[in-house]
Amino acid sequence: MRTLCPIVPVLACVAAISGHARAQTPDAYYMHVGNYPVAETSWSNDAQGVDHDDNNWYITTTHDLWRVPVGLDLRTVTASSPGVIRREVATRYPPLAAYDHLGDPDVFRYQGTDYLVVPMEDEDATCNGGVGGAALAFFRITPTDFFYVTHRQVPILCNDAGWVAINSQGGIVMSQQHVGAPPGSPAVTQRGLHFFTLDWNQLHNADSASSLTFTHMQQLTDESGNRLEMVTMQGGEYAPGDNLLYLVSGFYDDSGGREEREGIHVIDTSTWQRVEHSTRGFGHFDFYYDPGFPTYEEPEGLTIWDLDDGRSPGVRGQLHVFVSDNDADAGDIDFKHYSYIIRADRNSGVSCQTGSPSCPFHTVQAAVALAWNGAEVRARAGAYSGPLTISKRIRVSAEGGVVRIGN
């Protein structure tokens, strides 16, 4: 349904949307707003995943767990920085000594307590009859530390557990990392998302995850309804409201155009169909990684955390995604950030207009033309030409004072 906005002295026109569009808070984080840090850091060697509680980043590397207060600069933080905790999992927690690879974690709050849930692999385990070295480890978070609670094997994933995502009701989803394995390999029958239930009350009160139970597997489709296969799954997280599931895939040796098919995938959880896919090297939803010699860059984990308030130095946006390198000087990280906000500023230069914070559109019309369902067009105070026509489910807001559209 197309709506013609009235010319009024405030930017407060919202289109009436009919059909199947669902009312929800902004959750479509498709505007690339910057990369930070882009360098080698003390924590970035073999970085695998990232999540957060209200005040801290939780970062996994191949062997280590890091907790970093959000107010510290990720570019310069070290293991000795105030509030930072670094734990080598295999030596710190004897029950986890067999596991030699950590994946992309998730944090879930149950009855006021935050739990850090970490997928783990024993890459040397033999996957025989569906029994291997995949597991989930559970840590209880306190204001000053986090503590190992228990872990539980996930036999259906063999020894391949690259990520975990937990919805608002405590439902758990994982996949094998290499979900697009060649025909004839054991992983072929396990393609898709694997869903699990867990009695969180049992974990909370009895320190047990014995109730972890596989329920079903879900295949995904692309925008055209064709089967969607991501060759190397690296991370996943539900957006607030559970309507969208963000996934990231790709590998350091992708070639032959496969790198164009990987990247960030946004899945509608009512249909399990992809509704948005990142681009590579162009456009507003740019997710660029450079696999192969000499850089061997590889997508890793992701998390969703609204950091537009400036709490984290150098970081803005809501969606945050790791790209690591695997070259001879492995250790560089490219931390990419995305937002649902498209910006307009009548004082911006006409030579640079992308809608990003550093390069806003010159007109509100241009920002609306780019907008997608779930986006917000945010205009700086001033007078803009009109009229304005909106035909998408978007929010339009003013920043820094009154915005006038039209005469």
Side-chain angles (χ1 to χ4, degrees):
M1 179 177 183
R2 297 178 67 82
T3 299
L4 185 64
C5 291
I7 300 172
V8 292
V10 291
L11 193 66
C13 176
V14 179
I17 302 298
S18 62
H20 66 278
R22 293 171 297 174
Q24 57 189 46
T25 57
D27 55 6
Y29 317 117
Y30 308 155
M31 171 59 69
H32 179 227
V33 295
N35 304 338
Y36 189 86
V38 185
E40 184 173 358
T41 72
S42 63
W43 51 265
S44 60
N45 189 40
D46 291 325
Q48 299 295 320
V50 58
D51 209 79
H52 66 92
D53 60 21
D54 287 343
N55 301 300
N56 304 279
W57 299 100
Y58 290 89
I59 297 168
T60 57
T61 68
T62 302
H63 304 290
D64 296 346
L65 265 175
W66 287 73
R67 168 167 154 159
V68 179
V70 66
L72 298 184
D73 188 333
L74 290 172
R75 174 67 181 85
T76 58
V77 68
T78 70
S80 59
S81 297
V84 171
I85 299 172
R86 178 186 181 183
R87 300 269 168 74
E88 185 178 5
V89 170
T91 56
R92 176 77 180 196
Y93 311 108
L96 303 177
Y99 298 98
D100 52 15
H101 185 281
L102 310 184
D104 186 37
D106 208 350
V107 172
F108 180 71
R109 179 168 295 173
Y110 181 76
Q111 293 189 0
T113 298
D114 286 338
Y115 290 91
L116 175 65
V117 185
V118 183
M120 314 186 91
E121 301 172 355
D122 175 2
E123 295 182 318
D124 296 325
T126 300
C127 182
N128 184 14
V131 178
L136 279 180
F138 298 85
F139 298 82
R140 184 174 289 114
I141 296 172
T142 73
T144 58
D145 210 334
F146 56 92
F147 301 91
Y148 169 77
V149 177
T150 188
H151 72 284
R152 178 77 168 170
Q153 273 201 318
V154 189
I156 195 169
L157 297 183
C158 298
N159 60 348
D160 195 4
W163 62 280
V164 62
I166 305 170
N167 67 21
S168 62
Q169 304 303 306
I172 295 172
V173 60
M174 305 172 67
S175 78
Q176 288 183 309
Q177 186 180 31
H178 302 283
V179 296
S185 74
V188 156
T189 59
Q190 305 302 329
R191 290 176 179 172
L193 303 184
H194 291 67
F195 289 81
F196 302 82
T197 59
L198 176 71
D199 183 345
W200 287 93
N201 192 60
Q202 181 193 53
L203 179 74
H204 188 65
N205 293 305
D207 292 348
S208 172
S210 63
S211 65
L212 185 69
T213 303
F214 170 72
T215 60
H216 66 285
M217 185 170 65
Q218 176 67 53
Q219 301 290 348
L220 304 177
T221 58
D222 64 16
E223 294 86 340
S224 300
N226 300 314
R227 181 167 170 164
L228 176 62
E229 293 186 0
M230 292 157 278
V231 174
T232 309
M233 286 286 298
Q234 300 284 4
E237 185 158 333
Y238 285 93
D242 299 338
N243 294 314
L244 297 179
L245 175 64
Y246 282 77
L247 303 172
V248 62
S249 67
F251 203 50
Y252 68 84
D253 65 354
D254 286 342
S255 61
R258 195 169 75 194
E259 60 272 33
E260 308 291 340
R261 300 191 296 271
E262 306 298 331
I264 303 170
H265 313 263
V266 187
I267 307 298
D268 184 325
T269 59
S270 68
T271 62
W272 300 108
Q273 185 172 33
R274 187 173 67 187
V275 293
E276 197 69 36
H277 182 208
S278 62
T279 52
R280 182 174 176 270
F282 66 94
H284 60 275
F285 198 18
D286 179 22
F287 179 76
Y288 184 83
Y289 71 104
D290 190 14
F293 181 82
T295 55
Y296 296 107
E297 289 185 342
E298 180 174 352
E300 295 293 354
L302 59 80
T303 191
I304 293 171
W305 193 7
D306 190 347
L307 292 174
D308 271 346
D309 59 5
R311 281 178 293 165
S312 182
V315 175
R316 295 296 185 273
Q318 292 77 37
L319 172 66
H320 315 280
V321 192
F322 278 165
V323 172
S324 297
D325 72 21
N326 294 277
D327 61 15
D329 297 318
D332 287 350
I333 194 77
D334 188 353
F335 202 8
K336 299 178 181 293
H337 311 288
Y338 300 83
S339 176
Y340 62 89
I341 300 170
I342 305 167
R343 296 182 182 271
D345 187 343
R346 62 185 300 273
N347 297 312
S348 67
V350 296
S351 62
C352 178
Q353 295 190 65
T354 65
S356 68
S358 61
C359 198
F361 284 111
H362 188 67
T363 67
V364 176
Q365 288 94 331
V368 169
L370 175 66
W372 49 87
N373 286 334
E376 176 179 331
V377 172
R378 188 173 295 178
R380 291 291 301 175
Y384 296 81
S385 61
L388 181 64
T389 300
I390 300 176
S391 58
K392 305 162 188 171
R393 176 179 52 81
I394 66 174
R395 176 184 296 165
V396 187
S397 66
E399 182 176 49
V402 173
V403 170
R404 298 178 184 271
I405 299 176
N407 296 327

